[in-house]
Amino acid sequence: MTSKNKRQAAKKPARKVGRPAAEGPNEAKRDAIAAAALELFSRSGVAAVSNKELGEAAGINPALIYYYFEDKDDLFQFVVRKALSDALAAYDDIKKEKGGIGDLDAWLSSNLLLFGEITRFLKVILDYAHSGQRSKQTDMAIARFYETETGLIAHALKEKGEASGEAEDLAQLVSVFLDGIMVARVVRPDVDSERLIGLMRQLLKNKKR
């Protein structure tokens, strides 16, 4: 090899073993890994899930998982943040598809639409809360999700004429109710989540100051 070729070779960054030749991560594969991880983590717990299981569920070589994520903790926290962003995106889609639908109706509908995903997310987030591996970025994503939820519910109630303080208290109540519905469905298969959310929607619509 000539001196010129050696200099050119030295300038090229070494590609990590197992990484695909593409310059950047493939978003579709990254999201497929996250979706598979959400399912497996919620079913078995984060610690019990192997790279082999993740790879098989996502349809990729397990060796490629750490091309997209630094380690399992990085993957876990990405799963938490993605579940949150998916719920917010579903709400936005419902608002766009059903012109004129109120904030409250859109949010309740998005919870029904993503019932399975949110149930799995809540199981995973309980693991996160007790993992001892907290991160500022993930904590902020969780806080942003619940601030968005209670904020839009409170805003909808204020537009109905509720006083500010009472609207905010009711918004907290509805938020906790929605989490409770998701958890109850896991341990009580007879719970009709759609009917109960419908009842909550009706109660809030009929509530008077």
Side-chain angles (χ1 to χ4, degrees):
M1 182 182 287
T2 67
S3 296
K4 180 179 179 181
N5 289 337
K6 287 179 180 179
R7 287 196 301 272
Q8 289 176 338
K11 291 179 181 178
K12 294 181 180 179
R15 183 164 63 86
K16 190 174 179 179
V17 175
R19 286 193 172 190
E23 290 297 322
N26 181 291
E27 187 173 348
K29 286 186 178 179
R30 182 197 63 186
D31 289 349
I33 295 170
L38 177 60
E39 175 67 32
L40 292 173
F41 289 168
S42 67
R43 186 191 309 160
S44 306
V46 178
V49 177
S50 68
N51 290 344
K52 181 180 178 181
E53 289 175 300
L54 279 171
E56 289 176 351
I60 67 166
N61 187 323
L64 295 181
I65 292 173
Y66 296 127
Y67 170 66
Y68 301 100
F69 303 97
E70 292 181 5
D71 49 33
K72 187 180 280 189
D73 183 55
D74 183 40
L75 167 59
F76 175 61
Q77 297 201 31
F78 179 82
V79 166
V80 173
R81 295 193 298 272
K82 187 175 185 302
L84 292 166
S85 63
D86 284 350
L88 295 176
Y91 162 76
D92 288 335
D93 288 343
I94 289 173
K95 285 281 289 183
K96 291 174 184 176
E97 290 172 6
K98 300 182 179 181
I101 188 173
D103 287 346
L104 182 58
D105 280 342
W107 188 256
L108 294 175
S109 296
S110 69
N111 272 259
L112 286 171
L113 180 65
L114 290 177
F115 180 82
E117 290 86 344
I118 293 175
T119 300
R120 288 190 288 274
F121 160 69
L122 287 173
K123 291 170 69 177
V124 167
I125 209 172
L126 283 172
D127 273 354
Y128 170 73
H130 295 91
S131 68
Q133 300 294 325
R134 305 292 288 263
S135 81
K136 184 177 180 180
Q137 186 180 18
T138 302
D139 285 345
M140 286 176 63
I142 294 170
R144 184 165 60 249
F145 174 83
Y146 284 109
E147 285 168 5
T148 300
E149 178 175 70
T150 56
L152 69 88
I153 293 172
H155 176 73
L157 293 171
K158 288 173 188 176
E159 287 193 328
K160 287 174 73 288
E162 294 291 345
S164 179
E166 186 172 357
E168 290 168 6
D169 286 343
L170 279 173
Q172 290 283 345
L173 178 62
V174 174
S175 176
V176 172
F177 163 80
L178 290 171
D179 281 353
I181 282 289
M182 303 301 171
V183 174
R185 181 67 180 271
V186 175
V187 296
R188 298 170 57 187
D190 58 311
V191 168
D192 187 339
S193 56
E194 187 168 352
R195 177 175 175 274
L196 292 176
I197 287 178
L199 287 173
M200 174 60 78
R201 178 188 284 114
Q202 200 60 43
L203 285 170
L204 292 172
K205 282 183 177 179
N206 294 338
K207 189 178 183 307
K208 297 180 180 179
R209 292 183 63 185

